[in-house]
Amino acid sequence: MSEVSGVAADHRLTAQLRRYYAFRTLATSYLWEPIFVIFMMARGLGFAEIMWLSVLYSATIIVVDVPTGVFADRVGRRPSMMLGAATLAVAAIVAALGTSVAWFAVAEVLLAISLALCSGADSAYLYDELAAAGRKAEYVQAESRASSFHLFGTAAALVVGGALAQWHMVLPYVATALTALVAVWLAAGLPETPRRRQPQLMLVTGGDATRPSARGASAGSIAAHLRLALADVRANRRLIWLLGCSAVAFVLVLAGRYLYQPLLVARGLTPLTIGAILAAAHVLAGVVAWNGARLRRRLSEEHLLWSVLAMLALSFALFNQTHGLRVVGLVAIQAIAKGMYSPLIKPMLNREIAASERRATLLSLESIARRLAMGVFSPIVGYWGAQASTYVCGVIGFVGIALLAAYYARPGTNAGESDVTAAEAASARQRVS
């Protein structure tokens, strides 16, 4: 009887994962992506103004990321994901109606809130659901697949959005709103497993150990919840390092979103060709993300981190020296790094988080670190322009490599630690495949 019950539970979890993957595919599929710079310029904005809107976007995420993470921890991952997708639908409509910087500023704020509600909550949902089912060992592979579905969805959005823009530039925004509403429906159908609460959590500050009650924190204010999350970070030097490493890699991964369009247009490529190139890049990134767990088994986390930073640094440094369609090769290299980034960083972060009831909040702190870095970078792009900014990206990548070398040069630093046994990993491979 127990065996039959176990098979039924496996089927339910498999169906749940399929619905979750569909949500990840649609919740951040921005069909306006291949034309948003062109669209805002057509509505009267300059490139510098667009980059300052990027700063507003990052600043909004910094302000709302922790509150939305606390919301996901205290109210639920699923409600947070539903509200995030619904907010995206509103943001898309506001942007479609935009005729000035003020209109697009409102759209950017809503878009940032949407991402903050989904980001962190979705990864925390996946980790906790697998842990509750006794299948935590599958998280690395499941997160890799979720990241690949997101990238495949983005690739499809680039193609469809580009095609719709041929008819009318507003259509990609309307289609995004409709897609986001489907994501709301998908999230509504996901069950939510209560998070496990630990009776006590050891917090180490300045070498002294204290033992505040997790129960007291959960019954207290949001400020108390945040203090415990910050104490979790202070107590874990590896987590602090991961926050910095994620921020550096994120800036380089996201930089192409703003740089590709003007750089490729300067090389004589049409918007339709640009959309096709970016779609192919996201497909490549999705294939890499799909095989993220396999890469982790063959190469250590240390080697993968070196690879991500090195590929991004070198490709940006060589961008202005590469002419014609050969630049597509550099875009492909950056796509490979992008596909490796999320399946590598997220499992490393989740492994370092001991308190499940604060997982989304801690992931929000990581998002804040990334957005702070992007907020500093965006004005540089707006001031110096796209071409000069590729060199800045190269320098940032090499600085990240230097920091990585300094970190691994420290005595007692071990790379590639795992939170599962070899037997658990083998079982996970059989289940997921």
Side-chain angles (χ1 to χ4, degrees), residues 233-245 302 306 352 401-415 417:
V233 175
R234 289 195 301 269
N236 190 333
R237 290 184 177 181
R238 182 169 173 81
L239 183 56
I240 294 173
W241 171 79
L242 281 173
L243 295 178
C245 185
E302 178 183 2
W306 282 106
E352 298 299 321
I401 291 172
L403 292 175
L404 190 62
Y407 174 79
Y408 281 114
R410 293 173 53 195
T413 300
N414 295 317
E417 295 175 352

Side-chain angles (χ1 to χ4, degrees), residues 40-54:
M40 285 192 277
M41 286 182 170
R43 293 293 175 95
L45 276 66
F47 185 68
E49 289 176 313
I50 294 171
M51 293 314 302
W52 277 109
L53 287 175
S54 170

Side-chain angles (χ1 to χ4, degrees), residues 7 16 44 55 81 89 98 105 125 145 159 161-162 172 259 274 322 329 333 336-337 366 368 382 384 416:
V7 171
Q16 181 180 344
V55 175
M81 293 157 65
Y125 177 87
R145 292 200 167 185
V159 174
L259 297 180
I274 292 172
T322 306
I333 291 173
I336 293 171
E366 183 260 347
I368 285 176
W384 291 105

Side-chain angles (χ1 to χ4, degrees), residues 299-307 344 348 404 408 414-416:
L299 300 171
S300 69
E301 288 177 347
E302 178 183 2
H303 289 148
L304 289 174
L305 283 170
W306 282 106
S307 299
L344 175 64
M348 294 174 71
L404 190 62
Y408 281 114
N414 295 317

Side-chain angles (χ1 to χ4, degrees), residues 295-315:
L295 289 171
R296 289 168 66 95
R297 290 196 299 269
R298 294 189 177 184
L299 300 171
S300 69
E301 288 177 347
E302 178 183 2
H303 289 148
L304 289 174
L305 283 170
W306 282 106
S307 299
V308 168
L309 290 174
M311 285 190 292
L312 290 169
L314 289 171
S315 59

Side-chain angles (χ1 to χ4, degrees), residues 86-393:
T87 306
L88 171 59
V90 178
I93 296 302
V94 172
L97 298 173
T99 55
S100 65
V101 173
W103 272 95
F104 287 108
V106 173
E108 288 293 306
V109 169
L110 291 172
L111 184 61
I113 294 172
S114 165
L115 183 65
L117 285 165
C118 290
S119 178
D122 53 10
S123 291
Y125 177 87
L126 179 61
Y127 189 91
D128 283 338
E129 292 298 306
L130 289 172
R135 293 165 60 172
K136 186 174 69 172
E138 297 178 32
Y139 173 72
V140 171
Q141 288 176 300
E143 182 61 55
S144 295
R145 292 200 167 185
S147 295
S148 67
F149 276 116
H150 161 69
L151 291 166
F152 290 144
T154 301
L158 286 164
V159 174
V160 175
L164 290 174
Q166 296 295 314
W167 293 342
H168 200 290
M169 295 281 278
V170 170
L171 288 179
Y173 291 88
V174 176
T176 299
L178 296 175
T179 302
L181 292 177
V182 175
V184 174
W185 172 76
L186 289 167
L190 290 171
E192 177 131 26
T193 300
R195 269 84 64 203
R196 302 182 310 282
R197 295 192 180 275
Q198 299 180 359
Q200 283 186 324
L201 174 65
M202 172 74 79
L203 299 180
V204 181
T205 306
D208 297 325
T210 58
R211 295 179 181 269
S213 167
R215 181 180 303 172
S218 65
S221 65
I222 290 178
H225 184 96
L226 178 58
R227 281 197 297 271
L228 283 176
L230 291 172
D232 291 342
V233 175
R234 289 195 301 269
N236 190 333
R237 290 184 177 181
R238 182 169 173 81
L239 183 56
I240 294 173
W241 171 79
L242 281 173
L243 295 178
C245 185
S246 176
V248 171
F250 177 79
V251 166
L252 299 182
V253 166
L254 193 61
R257 180 173 186 260
Y258 298 96
L259 297 180
Y260 286 153
Q261 289 185 45
L263 288 172
L264 295 178
V265 166
R267 285 166 169 76
L269 301 182
T270 65
L272 185 61
T273 304
I274 292 172
I277 291 171
L278 297 184
H282 277 79
V283 170
L284 176 59
V287 171
V288 173
W290 184 274
N291 292 281
R294 186 177 302 173
L295 289 171
R296 289 168 66 95
R297 290 196 299 269
R298 294 189 177 184
L299 300 171
S300 69
E301 288 177 347
E302 178 183 2
H303 289 148
L304 289 174
L305 283 170
W306 282 106
S307 299
V308 168
L309 290 174
M311 285 190 292
L312 290 169
L314 289 171
S315 59
F316 273 117
L318 295 173
F319 217 98
N320 287 331
Q321 281 71 47
T322 306
H323 305 289
L325 287 177
R326 285 182 300 222
V327 76
V328 175
L330 298 181
V331 174
I333 291 173
Q334 293 179 6
I336 293 171
K338 182 175 184 176
M340 293 167 58
Y341 167 71
S342 186
L344 175 64
I345 292 293
K346 285 186 177 179
M348 294 174 71
L349 286 167
N350 274 294
R351 192 174 63 224
E352 298 299 321
I353 299 173
S356 175
E357 67 272 18
R358 290 189 293 278
R359 186 175 306 280
T361 304
L362 286 163
L363 291 175
S364 292
L365 291 175
E366 183 260 347
S367 179
I368 285 176
R370 290 186 284 139
R371 293 298 170 178
L372 276 171
M374 193 64 196
V376 172
F377 174 77
S378 294
I380 297 174
V381 175
Y383 180 78
W384 291 105
Q387 281 198 333
S389 295
T390 60
Y391 295 115
V392 176
C393 290

